[in-house]
Amino acid sequence: MTKVIVHSLFTDFDIDLFKAGKHFKLYEKLGAHLIEVNGVKGVYFAVWAPTAQSVSVVGDFNYWTQGEHNLNVRWDSSGIWEGFIPDISKGALYKYKIQSSINGVITEKADPFALYCEKPPHTASVVWDLDYKWKDENWMQNRQQHNALDKPYSVYEVHLGSWKRADHNRFLSYLELADDLVKYVKETGFTHVEFMPIMEYPYDPSWGYQLTGYFAPTSRFGKPQDFMVLVDRLHQEGIGVILDWVPSHFPDDAHGLGYFDGSHLYEHPDRRKGYHPDWKSLVFNYGRNEVRAFLISNAVFWLQNYHVDGLRVDAVASMLYLDYSRKEGEWEANIFGGRENLDSISFLKEFNEVIYANFYGVQTIAEESTSFPMVSRPTFTGGLGFGMKWMMGWMHDTLKYFQKETVYRKYHQNDLTFSMTYAFTENFMLPFSHDEVVYGKQSLIYKMPGDEWQRFANLRLLYGYMFTHPGTKLLFMGAEFGQTSEWNFEQSLDWHLLQYDFHSGIKRLITDLNQLYKSQPALYEKQFTADGFEWINYSDHQNAVLSYIRKGNNPDENVIVVCNFTQVVRENYRIGISKKGKLEEIFNSDASIYGGSGIENGKSLKIESIPYDGREFSVELILPPLSVTVYSFS
């Protein structure tokens, strides 16, 4: 058996950066790399295990025998074990057998930097490369035009394992999705896709939020290059790709990061900071330099090697607070006596600084549900540095309002108008995500009150209100055609529903709303600033009607939005207008093509010199039942 040859990819500068927590391309050094040494092909292995007494590479090439291929520890106290093993090729299976110098414990671990993993439930790492010829040059050179904060940003959230399945409930592969999913997203008009975590995970019911292979796209759907094809195809069709990223916690599976070298290497050693009671998982030690470098390197890896356009960071609230989901006595205050996790806050700021400094035209998005200030503000002003933040308060208040019978809505209009008191404190994304359609919460269509017609009218109204409200948009798969059942990760969406008019009408509505959003600069150019929005009338509680103006850079392109939140048709409904001219109805959620009653305004509505709503002019409209109507000046 060929033994390990002493070899290193690390320079002294690499080691200095690693120790300082400033090496953000660790994946180029750690892990398994197919290289050639003195004319001999093989694999260079490197793993961080500072408390190890010995580290062996075991795999199908040595019958999983410990001691056959022992790595050498570096002399520089970095804790890195490394070596070159000849005659191993791409596709070889391997793990690390690590014996602790502290207690003699032997762990058998998958490679934290593995590029590919065995298909679960198997847990070995696979020697692989990232060779691929990308064809998305045009997108990559111009993606700032698609991802900027003053551009339309409509996101389709997808769980790859349950979007659609083949016969006998088989997963679709990345390559099949590169045909079916790309075509569908293009057809429905979304600007971006957000994939729920695709990094390798062992347990399907975690939906991918309990990761063990941070650098490997899950092998459930194919090889790494197959996932590249999916991203590439989306880019070629002008669609951006966002990945769910989970730096907040990780599972304690035996082959994972937990207790990696017999010590608390990746997780915080204090259980009050290193264990998450909600998810029964481990929490990263954000104060340890090497762990910070691991996580930031991972973020850089997906942006660099998979051409990803953004990262949606999961469970940020759990990272920010030491007492998150913990009872009194289960947490310890920071050095200033507060509940903020200072190490985590520092880490998030550095993560955002590195991403925005190194990748032009990308976005980071925080799933953060508290009132923590300045999440989406630059770090140089004291913010966390994210590009956007999920507007969880808007989502909860809006759904609470819509679940009410229409007769009671006039008493609760403040549930809707309250969002505008804080809408511009952050760069908000409006999310109707997977979390809202599981665990007994019902699908969006069944949150709506009334008979069947009213349910669908309410849903059309909800979507119209969402797309005309300031902020970017996110919709979970299935919502775009009125999925009736709760999301089930073990099966396909209910695509058969599209044979019914109400459901196909919802899909057409979403397609047209995406087109409206993209075609009207007033809906996106100032979607994060107060001067992009103006109330016409927010106090017509009695009729449960809201009217407002969305503004862009050109005042002539402003649009007017009127929402009727009851099933009563409002004829001769007058709203104030600030200038003369005519209005044209450019969108109506009650149109018959969507399954509505077909009540419409004329194509040309004359603005009259009749003062109203504190304005010099006004116009008279017909408000269809449970509808959003949108008007432009003509």
Side-chain angles (χ1 to χ4, degrees):
M1 175 67 69
T2 307
K3 297 302 180 183
V4 176
I5 296 172
V6 176
H7 188 77
S8 183
L9 295 183
F10 284 90
T11 66
D12 291 345
F13 185 54
D14 286 325
I15 297 300
D16 290 341
L17 288 176
F18 177 53
K19 289 180 178 179
K22 302 298 182 182
H23 199 309
F24 302 134
K25 290 190 175 182
L26 285 175
Y27 52 87
E28 293 180 349
K29 308 293 179 175
L30 290 166
H33 298 270
L34 289 158
I35 63 171
E36 188 174 306
V37 175
N38 296 327
V40 178
K41 293 181 178 180
V43 177
Y44 165 80
F45 292 94
V47 62
W48 180 49
T51 68
Q53 178 178 312
S54 65
V55 177
S56 290
V57 183
V58 297
D60 55 2
F61 47 85
N62 63 14
Y63 304 100
W64 304 95
T65 305
Q66 182 178 2
E68 287 292 325
H69 291 102
N70 288 326
L71 299 181
N72 306 292
V73 66
R74 289 183 61 90
W75 56 269
D76 49 24
S77 73
S78 62
I80 293 171
W81 297 72
E82 61 185 353
F84 174 76
I85 305 178
D87 304 322
I88 298 178
S89 57
K90 181 176 176 178
L93 304 180
Y94 71 101
K95 282 186 178 180
Y96 297 118
K97 264 297 200 207
I98 306 171
Q99 183 168 6
S100 172
S101 62
I102 300 174
N103 48 28
V105 168
I106 297 176
T107 59
E108 186 173 289
K109 296 293 186 178
D111 187 348
F113 286 85
L115 301 176
Y116 188 31
C117 303
E118 267 194 303
K119 188 174 181 179
H122 302 292
T123 59
S125 302
V126 183
V127 173
W128 210 253
D129 61 40
L130 296 176
D131 293 345
Y132 179 76
K133 185 173 177 56
W134 289 87
K135 303 180 182 67
D136 62 349
E137 296 86 357
N138 184 60
W139 171 272
M140 294 298 287
Q141 290 170 8
N142 299 289
R143 67 175 171 184
Q144 171 67 11
Q145 296 303 311
H146 303 273
N147 292 337
L149 294 176
D150 61 351
K151 300 296 180 183
Y153 209 95
S154 176
V155 181
Y156 187 53
E157 185 188 27
V158 176
H159 178 262
L160 287 179
S162 58
W163 178 72
K164 185 184 287 185
R165 293 201 176 185
D167 292 340
H168 309 295
N169 210 32
R170 174 182 66 80
F171 289 138
L172 293 187
S173 69
Y174 291 126
L175 295 179
E176 290 171 316
L177 289 161
D179 291 329
D180 291 4
L181 178 63
V182 174
K183 179 181 177 182
Y184 183 79
V185 176
K186 180 76 170 178
E187 173 189 316
T188 47
F190 290 94
T191 65
H192 292 72
V193 170
E194 179 185 312
F195 293 132
M196 291 168 65
I198 55 86
M199 299 81 175
E200 193 60 82
Y201 57 99
Y203 187 50
D204 282 0
S206 79
W207 310 336
Y209 288 99
Q210 299 272 11
L211 307 180
T212 51
Y214 271 77
F215 291 82
T218 178
S219 54
R220 287 168 173 80
F221 314 120
K223 299 178 175 64
Q225 282 78 5
D226 298 339
F227 181 63
M228 291 177 181
V229 170
L230 174 56
V231 175
D232 206 351
R233 293 264 189 91
L234 285 163
H235 282 174
Q236 290 172 52
E237 293 296 339
I239 300 163
V241 178
I242 305 163
L243 297 188
D244 253 355
W245 187 54
V246 191
S248 49
H249 64 110
F250 59 93
D252 62 358
D253 291 59
H255 69 288
L257 296 177
Y259 208 54
F260 189 80
D261 61 353
S263 72
H264 298 291
L265 190 61
Y266 288 92
E267 68 272 21
H268 199 286
D270 185 340
R271 192 171 176 84
R272 293 172 296 181
K273 297 180 181 179
Y275 180 76
H276 200 294
D278 281 358
W279 303 310
K280 296 178 173 54
S281 54
L282 303 174
V283 180
F284 285 103
N285 184 354
Y286 304 108
R288 188 163 191 168
N289 288 343
E290 297 90 343
V291 172
R292 291 166 72 108
F294 168 81
L295 287 170
I296 296 176
S297 289
N298 184 243
V300 168
F301 171 82
W302 291 102
L303 296 167
Q304 181 71 49
N305 292 285
Y306 285 87
H307 290 199
V308 168
D309 305 291
L311 297 171
R312 177 265 194 188
V313 183
D314 182 60
V316 171
S318 73
M319 300 171 67
L320 294 176
Y321 295 105
L322 296 165
D323 63 344
Y324 185 90
S325 286
R326 291 177 174 83
K327 300 174 184 175
E328 189 174 346
E330 294 179 347
W331 64 282
E332 182 181 43
N334 62 36
I335 58 173
F336 301 111
R339 51 195 281 261
E340 295 80 13
N341 188 330
L342 302 180
D343 287 336
S344 176
I345 291 169
S346 168
F347 161 73
L348 288 170
K349 289 182 177 182
E350 185 172 27
F351 151 73
N352 280 310
E353 288 169 353
V354 170
I355 297 308
Y356 282 106
N358 288 279
F359 296 95
Y360 184 65
V362 303
Q363 295 291 347
T364 62
I365 306 164
E367 191 238 348
E368 204 285 305
S369 55
T370 75
S371 58
F372 193 92
M374 302 177 70
V375 171
S376 59
R377 294 294 179 259
T379 58
F380 62 79
T381 66
L384 288 183
F386 285 93
M388 288 177 254
K389 170 183 171 174
W390 276 21
M391 198 175 188
M392 307 293 279
W394 172 87
M395 181 270 297
H396 287 301
D397 288 346
T398 299
L399 290 180
K400 183 171 69 171
Y401 179 87
F402 270 84
Q403 286 173 296
K404 289 180 169 61
E405 294 289 344
T406 56
V407 68
Y408 301 118
R409 287 180 177 175
K410 62 184 177 181
Y411 304 112
H412 300 279
Q413 196 142 311
N414 60 302
D415 285 346
L416 295 183
T417 58
F418 178 69
S419 66
M420 295 313 302
T421 66
Y422 65 94
F424 306 109
T425 59
E426 301 276 4
N427 298 336
F428 280 119
M429 172 177 280
L430 313 182
F432 288 133
S433 74
H434 64 275
D435 280 328
E436 306 316 311
V437 292
V438 290
Y439 298 144
K441 294 181 182 179
Q442 298 185 305
S443 62
L444 288 182
I445 186 64
Y446 279 129
K447 293 179 193 288
M448 303 295 109
D451 59 24
E452 183 183 41
W453 189 92
Q454 290 174 353
R455 284 184 189 274
F456 279 92
N458 269 303
L459 190 61
R460 294 192 297 269
L461 169 57
L462 174 68
Y463 291 155
Y465 170 63
M466 173 193 191
F467 271 80
T468 57
H469 189 286
T472 52
K473 331 296 175 186
L474 178 138
L475 203 60
F476 182 56
M477 63 182 197
E480 81 281 2
F481 61 80
Q483 168 102 359
T484 51
S485 60
E486 286 190 343
W487 171 51
N488 182 351
F489 71 92
E490 294 183 299
Q491 65 186 43
S492 170
L493 296 178
D494 296 333
W495 294 104
H496 65 278
L497 293 175
L498 282 169
Q499 67 186 298
Y500 303 110
D501 290 343
F502 277 143
H503 293 278
S504 62
I506 292 289
K507 182 190 170 194
R508 179 160 186 176
L509 175 103
I510 289 295
T511 302
D512 288 353
L513 280 171
N514 275 323
Q515 179 57 34
L516 179 75
Y517 181 33
K518 291 186 286 189
S519 66
Q520 298 296 322
L523 294 178
Y524 60 78
E525 286 181 339
K526 296 183 177 181
Q527 58 193 340
F528 298 127
T529 58
D531 60 350
F533 179 90
E534 181 184 338
W535 285 115
I536 295 175
N537 190 333
Y538 60 83
S539 59
D540 188 4
H541 303 269
Q542 194 61 38
N543 290 314
V545 173
L546 291 176
S547 52
Y548 47 90
I549 308 170
R550 291 298 310 279
K551 302 178 178 182
N553 296 328
N554 182 352
D556 293 334
E557 295 179 339
N558 291 351
V559 298
I560 290 171
V561 183
V562 185
C563 304
N564 178 10
F565 294 101
T566 72
Q567 65 268 40
V568 178
V569 179
R570 309 287 178 193
E571 296 188 16
N572 310 120
Y573 190 89
R574 189 169 291 276
I575 63 170
I577 302 292
S578 298
K579 65 177 185 177
K580 289 183 178 180
K582 293 181 179 180
L583 290 184
E584 178 185 353
E585 184 182 273
I586 58 173
F587 177 81
N588 184 333
S589 68
D590 188 54
S592 55
I593 55 173
Y594 306 136
S597 61
I599 296 174
E600 298 178 352
N601 287 273
K603 284 296 181 184
S604 182
L605 300 164
K606 185 178 180 181
I607 297 172
E608 301 174 284
S609 297
I610 300 175
Y612 207 80
D613 290 330
R615 290 168 172 81
E616 189 176 353
F617 308 100
S618 62
V619 67
E620 207 169 68
L621 306 171
I622 299 173
L623 305 188
L626 293 169
S627 70
V628 172
T629 48
V630 183
Y631 309 87
S632 65
F633 290 93
S634 61

